[in-house]
């Protein structure tokens, strides 16, 4: 029961993290980039790149991790492990 609570907490936390990263991209980065493209930059391109450096990569890696973890937990059994899902993360 304890292991099950732990792995589902990991899943819940990862979902929240991926949603937060996606929100950051959609609510902040994309509008800043659109404003810059329209000649109405709020921040310089350099500052925008510094603040949001790697956000798209981080989001992609974590979406992949979340998908792999979700697949594993569909057929969860206390004898299963999730360590290999963590090992599969590349970034």
């Amino acid at each position: 029961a304890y292991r099950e609570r732990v792995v589902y907490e990991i899943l819940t936390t990862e979902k929240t993290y991926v949603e937060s990263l996606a929100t950051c991209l959609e609510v902040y980065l994309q509008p800043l980039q659109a404003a810059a493209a329209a000649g109405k930059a709020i921040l310089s391109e350099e500052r925008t790149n510094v603040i949001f450096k790697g956000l798209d990569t981080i989001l992609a890696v974590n979406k992949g991790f979340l998908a792999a973890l979700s697949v594993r937990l569909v057929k969860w059994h206390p004898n299963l492990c999730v360590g290999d899902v963590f090992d599969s993360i590349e970034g």
Side-chain angles (χ1 to χ4, degrees):
Y2 176 75
R3 289 183 75 221
E4 184 174 3
R5 284 195 315 268
V6 169
V7 295
Y8 281 101
E9 178 63 29
I10 293 169
L11 178 67
T12 301
T13 301
E14 190 62 24
K15 281 181 184 177
T16 302
Y17 183 59
V18 167
E19 289 168 2
S20 296
L21 290 173
T23 298
C24 189
L25 183 81
E26 295 167 9
V27 173
Y28 298 106
L29 180 57
Q30 290 173 348
L32 287 169
Q33 290 172 331
K40 299 177 182 178
I42 298 166
L43 291 175
S44 69
E45 185 178 344
E46 180 182 346
R47 282 185 179 223
T48 300
N49 290 339
V50 167
I51 294 168
F52 297 100
K53 183 176 180 133
L55 179 62
D56 52 345
T57 302
I58 295 167
L59 180 57
V61 168
N62 284 84
K63 277 184 175 180
F65 174 67
L66 178 58
L69 190 58
S70 296
V71 168
R72 177 63 53 89
L73 296 183
V74 166
K75 298 179 182 179
W76 177 252
H77 184 277
N79 292 334
L80 290 178
C81 296
V82 294
D84 61 313
V85 178
F86 283 91
D87 283 341
S88 69
I89 300 172
E90 294 184 28

